[in-house]
Amino acid sequence: MDTERQQTPGGHTQEQESKKQEGKTRGADINYGIDDNPPWYFCIMMALQHYLTMIGAIVSIPFILTPALCMRDEDPARGTIISTMIFVTGLITYLQATWGCRLPIVQGGTISFLVPTLAILNLPQWKCPPADVIDAMSNADRTELWQVRMRELSGAIAVAAVSQIVLGFSGLVGKLLRIITPLTIVPTVALVGITLFQHASETASKQWGIAVGTTAMLTLFSQVMAGVQFPGLTYRKGHGGLRVVWFPLFKLFPVLLTIAIMWTVCGVLTVTGVFPEGHPARTDVRLRVLQDAEWFRVPYPGQFGLPTVSLAGVLGMLAGVIACTVESISYYPTISQMCAAPPPPLHAINRGIGIEGFGTMLAGLWGSGNGTNTFGENVGAIGVTKVGSRRVIQWAALIMILQGVLNKFGAAFIMIPDPVVGGIFCVMFGMITAFGLAALQYVDLRSSRNLYILGVSFFFPLVLCLWLQEHPGAIRTGNETVDSTLSVLLGTTILVGGVLGCVLDNLIPGTPEERGLVAWSKEMALETKPSGTGGLETGGGIVWEKNTFDFPYGMPLMRRWKWTRHVPFLPTYKMKL
C-alpha cells in the first residue's frame, strides 16, 4: 500500500488537495481521489461498505449455481463455495488495484459467466438426476455428484481464461481499442444494468416495503443529505490532541448507513413477529448458514479434485471471457474519470485485462465455479459515495481475504435480508446503466446514423436473448457442442449488444467527430509521455513525471532499462497504438 503522508487539518495532504483540483478539471466531483489516503478508520468503514456492496451479488451467484450442480439446500459445501469465491475476489482485487490497472475496482464473480455455466450444466450428460434419486444416494456419492460437475466448470473456466491473459499481456488489447468506440461501450455497459433488472426485481419483491425504504434512504443519504456535515473526534499527537472535526458522513457512507439501519428495522420486525416464520425479510432466515459455517478454512486450488477439460465447456466459457473483456475495457476510462485519475494509458489497460484473465484462471482452479470481472456494483458505489481512493479498495480486498478464511465472519453478512439487498440493487444497477449511457456525451446525438445504431444495439439483444431464454432448445444444428455454444453466445445481451454496436459503427459511414472518436481519443490517453517538471530523473538525463499508473515499487530501475519500453504491460511502455 502507499505510505502515509502528513495531513492538513481538513484530513487531506497538500498533494491530495492539488490532485482534487486537477480532478475537478476533468469534471470529477469527489471526496477522495485515486491517490488519496484517507485516515485508516475512514478506510476501514468505506472498505466495509464496498464489501457489503459486493457481498449480495457474490452470494447470489452460488445460490443460483449450486442447484444446477445437483447440490442439496442443506449441503454445508454451499458455504465453502461462497467463501472460496470471496477469497479469490479479495486476492485478485488487491493484485489488480496494486499491480494491475491500479484503478480502484473490485474484481469478483460475474453473472456473465453464470449464463454459459448454466448452458453447460444443461447439457444431457450434466443434467441432475431426480431429487428422490439424489436423496437415496450415500453422502460420498452425493458429494461426487456435484464435485464432478464443479471439476468440469473449473477446467473450462481456467482454459478459457488463458485467451484473456494472452490478449492482455501481449498487447493485443490495443488492436481492440481501434474498433471499441463509444457506440460499442454504451450498449455493452448499459445492458449490464438493464439485463439485471429481473434479478433486482425478484430480490426486492420479497418485501417491497423494505426494498423501497432502502432505495429511498440511500437516495436521501447520498443525494439530499450529501452536504450535511457530521461531528466527529480525532486525535493527533503534537497537533492539538483531541479535536472535533466535521465531515460529510452521509456522503461518505450512504450504503453502509442504509444497510445498517434497514437491517436493524428488519431485526425489530423479526423480533416483534411482524414478519412470520420463514419470511425472506427476517434476519434469521439464513441462520443455518451461520451455524453450519466453519470457523477457519483456507481455500486452495483443486480442493474439489483435478479440473477436467472439454471442448464444449471451453467454447461456452469463451463467451463469458469476451463479454467481460469488453465490459472491463468500457469501465476503465469511466472509473478513471470518476476517481479523478488521468486517462488510463495503454499499458494499464493491457495489464488490467491480463490480470483479470489471471484472476479468472485462479477462480476456476480454486473451484469457485465462476470467473472474475470488474464489479459493476462497486463502480456504482464509487459514483454514489464519490470516494475513489485506491487505498480503500486495498483495505476491502484484505477484508475479503480475511472473510474467505474466517467463514463465520462472512456468514454473518450473508444474513442481510434479501429485500434490503434488492433495494440497494435498484440504485446500483441503475447507476451502471447511467454510466454506460454517459458515453453518449462523446457522440453526435443529432445524427440519424448514431440513433439507428443505438436503437438496434439496445433493442435487438433484449428481444433475441429473451426469446432464447423462453425457448432453450430452439437452436438445433445437429451438433450438441455447436448448439450449446451458439445458445450461450446469442443469449448474452451484453455480448450481442456490444458486438452489434461495434460492427454497425465500424461499417456504417460516419465522420470521426460524428462517431465521437475525436472526443473519445482525448479520454483514452494511450501512452505516458515524459515530462520536464516534477518528475524523477533517470541515469540518461530524462525526467519522467510520476504517474498514477506506475508500479508502487521499482520504477527508477525499470526506467533505466531501455528494453522495458517495448513490453506492452510495463509502465515504461512507449509504443504508440
Side-chain angles (χ1 to χ4, degrees):
M1 295 184 184
D2 304 320
T3 57
E4 292 281 0
R5 292 168 289 181
Q6 185 174 358
Q7 295 180 335
T8 63
H12 298 81
T13 65
Q14 293 181 352
E15 181 181 353
Q16 291 167 352
E17 292 294 343
S18 65
K19 288 180 179 179
K20 286 187 68 177
Q21 294 301 319
E22 179 184 353
K24 291 180 180 179
T25 63
R26 301 191 69 221
D29 177 21
I30 61 168
N31 296 311
Y32 291 97
I34 187 170
D35 292 316
D36 291 348
N37 294 327
W40 65 270
Y41 43 88
F42 270 12
C43 283
I44 293 178
M45 295 291 286
M46 288 183 285
L48 184 60
Q49 182 170 250
H50 273 285
Y51 174 82
L52 291 175
T53 300
M54 55 76 67
I55 189 66
I58 280 285
V59 170
S60 68
I61 294 174
F63 272 78
I64 297 173
L65 171 65
T66 51
L69 289 172
C70 313
M71 186 182 295
R72 297 198 301 177
D73 292 341
E74 63 272 17
D75 196 323
R78 282 192 170 202
T80 301
I81 294 177
I82 293 173
S83 295
T84 298
M85 185 174 291
I86 297 177
F87 179 85
V88 176
T89 295
L91 193 66
I92 301 305
T93 295
Y94 188 85
L95 183 62
Q96 184 73 281
T98 307
W99 295 96
C101 67
R102 287 183 57 78
L103 288 170
I105 61 177
V106 174
Q107 292 279 164
T110 170
I111 295 179
S112 298
F113 274 95
L114 191 58
V115 176
T117 294
L118 295 178
I120 293 171
L121 295 178
N122 280 330
L123 295 176
Q125 64 268 32
W126 299 121
K127 284 186 177 180
C128 297
D132 55 343
V133 175
I134 297 178
D135 292 337
M137 293 180 177
S138 63
N139 289 333
D141 290 338
R142 280 196 294 266
T143 299
E144 179 63 18
L145 182 67
W146 70 262
Q147 285 191 356
V148 69
R149 288 160 173 77
M150 179 62 81
R151 292 194 290 268
E152 174 71 11
L153 295 180
S154 297
I157 293 170
V159 174
V162 175
S163 63
Q164 195 173 20
I165 296 175
V166 173
L167 186 69
F169 289 126
S170 68
L172 291 177
V173 172
K175 303 295 183 181
L176 287 179
L177 290 176
R178 297 185 181 185
I179 60 174
I180 296 179
T181 63
L183 288 176
T184 303
I185 293 173
V186 170
T188 302
V189 178
L191 281 172
V192 174
I194 295 175
T195 304
L196 293 175
F197 84 92
Q198 185 175 3
H199 177 65
S201 175
E202 291 174 354
T203 310
S205 63
K206 295 180 179 180
Q207 219 297 323
W208 276 112
I210 296 297
V212 173
T214 301
T215 301
M217 186 169 293
L218 181 55
T219 303
L220 177 68
F221 289 163
S222 64
Q223 304 301 319
V224 180
M225 300 180 64
V228 177
Q229 299 290 314
F230 198 83
L233 296 177
T234 183
Y235 177 80
R236 297 185 64 196
K237 186 177 181 181
H239 292 80
L242 192 66
R243 296 186 304 167
V244 176
V245 296
W246 294 84
F247 62 98
L249 173 69
F250 301 106
K251 192 174 184 179
L252 292 174
F253 309 113
V255 178
L256 186 59
L257 289 172
T258 299
I259 291 178
I261 293 174
M262 296 308 297
W263 198 352
T264 302
V265 170
C266 289
V268 173
L269 296 178
T270 298
V271 173
T272 56
V274 175
F275 293 147
E277 192 72 26
H279 194 281
R282 288 179 64 95
T283 54
D284 60 356
V285 71
R286 295 195 184 105
L287 185 60
R288 186 167 182 176
V289 177
L290 180 63
Q291 294 173 341
D292 292 343
E294 299 179 79
W295 279 103
F296 182 85
R297 186 181 187 279
V298 179
Y300 57 92
Q303 57 185 332
F304 303 131
L306 187 66
T308 59
V309 179
S310 67
L311 179 61
V314 173
L315 291 178
M317 287 302 176
L318 279 176
V321 169
I322 294 172
C324 291
T325 300
V326 175
E327 186 179 348
S328 290
I329 292 176
S330 306
Y331 275 135
Y332 289 166
T334 302
I335 299 171
S336 180
Q337 185 175 19
M338 287 168 56
C339 59
L346 182 58
H347 65 78
I349 297 174
N350 291 336
R351 202 164 55 246
I353 296 301
I355 291 295
E356 181 174 313
F358 180 68
T360 295
M361 184 177 68
L362 291 186
L365 295 178
W366 245 271
S368 69
N370 203 264
T372 61
N373 189 26
T374 302
F375 236 76
E377 291 83 352
N378 293 84
V379 175
I382 294 175
V384 170
T385 64
K386 303 297 188 297
V387 176
S389 171
R390 183 188 299 117
R391 172 67 65 85
V392 171
I393 297 299
Q394 291 170 331
W395 275 98
L398 293 179
I399 292 176
M400 296 172 201
I401 294 174
L402 178 65
Q403 185 277 312
V405 175
L406 303 175
N407 290 5
K408 292 286 188 183
F409 178 79
F413 289 105
I414 292 172
M415 294 174 64
I416 298 174
D418 285 343
V420 175
V421 177
I424 296 294
F425 282 172
C426 288
V427 175
M428 295 304 175
F429 294 162
M431 291 291 291
I432 296 171
T433 302
F435 288 139
L437 295 175
L440 291 175
Q441 64 184 298
Y442 304 109
V443 305
D444 184 4
L445 291 179
R446 296 168 297 181
S447 168
S448 60
R449 168 197 182 273
N450 292 344
L451 294 178
Y452 180 88
I453 294 173
L454 285 173
V456 174
S457 61
F458 264 106
F459 194 77
F460 182 77
L462 293 174
V463 172
L464 176 64
C465 297
L466 180 60
W467 184 82
L468 285 176
Q469 290 175 9
E470 295 177 350
H471 303 82
I475 299 178
R476 297 178 181 177
T477 63
N479 186 300
E480 292 183 358
T481 300
V482 175
D483 292 347
S484 60
T485 302
L486 290 177
S487 297
V488 170
L489 292 174
L490 298 178
T492 307
T493 54
I494 57 176
L495 180 62
V496 176
V499 170
L500 194 57
C502 179
V503 171
L504 292 177
D505 190 36
N506 284 278
L507 287 182
I508 299 177
T511 64
E513 292 80 6
E514 183 182 17
R515 299 173 60 193
L517 300 182
V518 175
W520 178 243
S521 64
K522 297 177 182 179
E523 200 66 38
M524 297 288 287
L526 298 178
E527 62 174 335
T528 306
K529 298 179 180 180
S531 171
T533 59
L536 177 67
E537 185 171 356
T538 65
I542 301 177
V543 179
W544 297 85
E545 183 183 33
K546 184 178 180 181
N547 191 278
T548 295
F549 300 98
D550 285 348
F551 287 152
Y553 309 104
M555 290 306 303
L557 181 62
M558 191 174 297
R559 288 184 176 121
R560 286 199 294 265
W561 293 335
K562 293 183 179 181
W563 62 267
T564 62
R565 303 179 190 179
H566 304 286
V567 181
F569 57 87
L570 294 181
T572 50
Y573 182 56
K574 293 300 166 185
M575 192 171 295
K576 295 182 179 180
L577 181 65

